Amino acid sequence: MRIFNSHTLKELDKATCEAQGIKSIDLMERAAEAVTNEIIARFLPGRRIVVLAGPGNNGGDALAVARNLIEQGFKRIEVFLFNVTGKLSPDCNEERKRLLALDTVDFTEVAKEFRPPNLGKGDVVIDGLFGAGLNRPLEGGFRMLASLVNDSGAYVVAIDMPSGLSADENGNALRRDMMHANLTLTFQLPRLSFFFEENAEVVGEWKLLDIDIDQAAIKSSKSEFVLIEPRYVRPLLQPRKPFSAKRDYGSALLFAGSMGMMGAAVLCARSVLKSGAGLVTVHTARCGMTIMQTSVPEAMFEPDRDERFITDMAVHHAHQVVVAGPGIGSHDRTIDAVEALLKNAKCPLVLDADALNCIAKRPALLQYLPPKTVITPHIGEFDRLFGEQQSSEDRLKKAIEVCKYYNIIIVLKGHHTAVVRPPKGTVFFNATGNPGMATAGSGDVLAGTIASFIAQGCIPERAALLGVYVHGLAGDLAAAEDGEDGVIASDIISHLGQAIRTIRNPK
């Protein structure tokens, strides 16, 4: 599912009207009906609902919703239409006429003076002030109105977008100057701003409503932002043939673990195997031999010359992928080993955790990253590598820039993990996963899952998409079983096979 900017979304609306032979107000009515149905499904007819409508098409949506609710038996509907310039959009003006044609409607048109309603926790506010039609925070009286609503404790339903929040970029805009929604009902396709952490308090829960936007127009429109769906990843799973052997599913070499951090090596190795790779070799400090041989007997063990940490990352045998980083620490001799690995790599690399911290301590190593290397930083690791960022929006912009400059694949971990791929810096947001996965070792499992798919024959950019989606789905399956609070990294591993099966054989 592609994510388009505001300009393209408007063009899609126009293309839909042309392709389906309808007027723009017909599409507005379609959107209003979808919003109405969602509100009816969530609230009883006796609930007090206050509708705030602006002068544009977002206001027209809100007026149409108010009319629909009244016609469906909602008795406590109060409508405020803000027409401070004396000019409504044509469709908004038509919706105003249709609403006022009802026998009884509590309607106030605000031109100058405005006496705000008293709002409380039991009320519902429908925000139809500006939607995506405004690309800057609210000002003046509208900012005061948003503050009043936000402080009231009322449940806020935003149509399309919370007023004051841009669908695209918001920079350092103050979120306090925006309407804060509990629920944002948007149409057909998600908006880019939904995927940034700093906007979460403004957007609340968001849900897509299908209004039958023309699919041909969607397919012909370009975007560098995509939401990963099962249909993207299902074809990436390699079939397992009846007559096959372990080497048919690839070999992965892991440089992982050190004294006190062998758990990271265990988790990473187990995730490579549980995601379907045929062979795993773990190179780690000598102190890890007993731990590895007992915790992951399926993996081969390759001891480093040092007892406590890794000092050598030479690749002595043929492998389809090399993982470096989980639990290796950042000792000077380990950094030397990482440098040697980068300079001599002959197969795809997945760099996670301490491998990234090692590079951050010696930034010149960035120039040695082989093309299509996969790096999997969390926020802190990313900022240590590429400079501190002020927001998740800034961080994604930096990731796109870095991806294109170094020709690498960046898996920027978070609630909607973003896979940034060269050559254009295309961003794929993940749709699976849950807060229960914010737990120690989850990143080690992700690195191993991505590496497993590379070992099995996926090119790195596709393996990153598949690994992120499967990892998140495994976390969802684990949370469904034990609850989000009870998920640990080992639970994610134990559900990897089920996640892959679910993708292969959807119900």
Side-chain angles (χ1 to χ4, degrees):
M1 183 181 295
R2 278 177 280 184
I3 302 166
F4 298 107
N5 60 31
S6 297
H7 174 74
T8 303
L9 290 170
K10 290 179 182 178
E11 293 301 315
L12 290 174
D13 286 349
K14 292 179 182 178
T16 298
C17 291
E18 292 175 3
Q20 299 177 7
I22 62 174
K23 297 178 181 178
S24 59
I25 197 166
D26 297 324
L27 190 61
M28 179 177 287
E29 286 287 337
R30 192 183 293 175
E33 181 181 2
V35 172
T36 302
N37 291 338
E38 191 65 32
I39 291 173
I40 290 173
R42 291 174 182 255
F43 304 107
L44 295 174
R47 197 77 172 265
R48 180 189 181 214
I49 298 180
V50 178
V51 179
L52 304 177
N57 285 350
N58 191 242
D61 290 336
L63 296 179
V65 169
R67 188 189 76 244
N68 290 344
L69 289 173
I70 292 170
E71 291 175 342
Q72 291 297 319
F74 281 71
K75 303 295 185 183
R76 302 177 65 197
I77 306 293
E78 301 170 34
V79 183
F80 294 86
L81 172 59
F82 292 84
N83 187 14
V84 295
T85 64
K87 185 178 181 181
L88 302 177
S89 74
D91 287 347
C92 183
N93 189 49
E94 176 60 28
E95 292 295 357
R96 175 185 177 277
K97 293 177 182 178
R98 294 181 183 184
L99 176 63
L100 292 178
L102 298 179
D103 291 336
T104 57
V105 55
D106 187 345
F107 178 84
T108 302
E109 186 161 344
V110 180
K112 293 182 179 179
E113 298 296 325
F114 172 55
R115 182 176 295 177
N118 293 319
L119 298 171
K121 292 183 178 179
D123 299 326
V124 175
V125 172
I126 296 179
D127 170 22
L129 289 174
F130 297 106
L134 189 70
N135 58 5
R136 63 183 186 277
L138 301 175
E139 299 174 344
F142 289 113
R143 182 173 63 187
M144 294 175 63
L145 175 59
S147 179
L148 182 149
V149 173
N150 295 341
D151 293 341
S152 71
Y155 189 97
V156 179
V157 178
I159 299 177
D160 192 23
M161 293 289 299
S163 293
L165 181 70
S166 169
D168 306 320
E169 298 181 2
N170 289 275
N172 296 318
L174 296 175
R175 271 63 184 177
R176 71 186 181 199
D177 294 339
M178 303 174 180
M179 194 74 78
H180 287 205
N182 299 90
L183 171 66
T184 297
L185 300 175
T186 198
F187 305 117
Q188 203 71 44
L189 300 162
R191 306 327 190 215
L192 179 61
S193 57
F194 292 174
F195 297 92
F196 299 127
E197 180 182 356
E198 56 269 17
N199 298 333
E201 62 176 326
V202 179
V203 175
E205 174 194 353
W206 59 271
K207 184 173 182 178
L208 297 181
L209 303 181
D210 187 354
I211 59 170
D212 194 25
I213 295 297
D214 185 65
Q215 290 299 314
I218 292 174
K219 290 179 181 178
S220 64
S221 300
K222 296 181 180 180
S223 175
E224 299 302 330
F225 299 95
V226 180
L227 181 63
I228 306 172
E229 297 178 279
R231 63 190 179 94
Y232 287 109
V233 297
R234 189 172 297 117
L236 305 181
L237 286 169
Q238 303 295 315
R240 298 182 78 91
K241 299 177 181 179
F243 292 92
S244 58
K246 57 190 175 185
R247 294 197 177 276
D248 295 324
Y249 302 107
S251 174
L253 172 62
L254 277 55
F255 294 107
S258 60
M259 182 172 284
M261 293 192 288
M262 289 307 305
V266 170
L267 292 169
C268 190
R270 289 185 61 217
S271 65
V272 176
L273 290 162
K274 286 289 287 185
S275 299
L279 291 163
V280 174
T281 300
V282 180
H283 179 109
T284 190
R286 287 184 176 274
C287 66
M289 183 177 70
T290 301
I291 294 172
M292 292 305 306
Q293 296 281 262
T294 54
S295 299
V296 196
E298 301 89 348
M300 291 177 283
F301 179 79
E302 186 178 281
D304 194 89
R305 65 173 70 92
D306 194 275
E307 181 70 21
R308 300 166 298 156
F309 49 80
I310 295 175
T311 63
D312 177 20
M313 291 189 181
V315 180
H316 302 291
H317 304 286
H319 301 281
Q320 280 65 55
V321 64
V322 171
V323 182
I328 64 174
S330 54
H331 189 279
D332 285 346
R333 292 173 66 192
T334 303
I335 299 176
D336 292 339
V338 170
E339 179 172 354
L341 174 65
L342 298 183
K343 290 179 177 179
N344 296 291
K346 298 293 191 297
C347 66
L349 297 182
V350 177
L351 304 180
D352 180 49
D354 282 331
L356 305 178
N357 292 330
C358 287
I359 296 171
K361 286 191 171 186
R362 199 176 293 176
L365 296 185
L366 285 169
Q367 66 182 305
Y368 297 114
L369 290 173
K372 305 299 176 67
T373 292
V374 180
I375 68 171
T376 60
H378 58 54
I379 290 171
E381 291 161 350
F382 183 90
D383 286 6
R384 282 192 287 273
L385 273 173
F386 304 113
E388 186 173 352
Q389 307 300 313
Q390 298 303 310
S391 67
S392 58
E393 184 179 308
D394 290 342
R395 191 169 293 108
L396 184 63
K397 290 179 182 177
K398 186 67 174 180
I400 294 169
E401 174 190 324
V402 168
C403 160
K404 292 191 286 188
Y405 183 81
Y406 290 107
N407 193 24
I408 59 174
I409 299 145
I410 301 176
V411 177
L412 187 55
K413 294 183 286 194
H415 175 49
H416 292 288
T417 292
V419 180
V420 189
R421 302 193 335 187
K424 295 182 179 180
T426 306
V427 178
F428 294 80
F429 291 104
N430 191 33
T432 59
N434 62 82
M437 299 175 71
T439 185
S442 180
D444 304 318
V445 177
L446 175 59
T449 305
I450 293 171
S452 180
F453 292 124
I454 296 176
Q456 294 173 67
C458 268
I459 60 175
E461 46 266 66
R462 292 180 178 176
L465 288 188
L466 183 55
V468 163
Y469 190 88
V470 168
H471 177 260
L473 181 55
D476 289 340
L477 293 169
E481 195 169 293
D482 291 328
E484 291 181 357
D485 298 294
V487 174
I488 60 175
S490 295
D491 297 330
I492 301 172
I493 294 171
S494 65
H495 286 86
L496 287 170
Q498 185 181 350
I500 294 170
R501 182 180 62 188
T502 299
I503 296 169
R504 285 191 192 277
N505 305 300
K507 293 181 180 179

